[in-house]
Amino acid sequence: MHTSDDVVAMLALKKLGWGYRRIAKEFGVSKNTVKRFVRNGGWAPYEKPERPSALDGLDDWLEE
């Protein structure tokens, strides 16, 4: 887990012109993690995608 100080530092380094790969190496995370923080403008909780179930709409049939 990354502290808010780490994320603020990542954003500051990106503003200084550092690349995603270089920032990721500095903090020991993946470059996609750094990209996500930069895109969101800070830390954001993970949002689980809403996926339909194979049994959606079959409630009545399942109750029988």
Side-chain angles (χ1 to χ4, degrees):
M1 192 59 147
H2 308 287
T3 65
S4 60
D5 293 336
D6 290 342
V7 176
V8 170
M10 289 179 195
L11 295 174
L13 291 174
K14 185 61 183 162
K15 284 185 181 181
L16 290 174
W18 284 37
Y20 294 117
R21 193 180 322 168
R22 186 175 176 194
I23 296 170
K25 188 175 182 180
E26 184 74 24
F27 287 93
V29 298
S30 74
K31 67 179 180 180
N32 290 331
T33 300
V34 177
K35 283 183 181 181
R36 187 177 73 238
F37 289 147
V38 170
R39 182 176 54 239
N40 291 335
W43 183 86
Y46 176 75
E47 294 181 16
K48 183 178 178 183
E50 193 66 35
R51 295 189 177 121
S53 171
L55 301 176
D56 282 349
L58 299 176
D59 296 330
D60 295 334
W61 180 76
L62 288 171
E63 287 180 14
E64 289 182 14

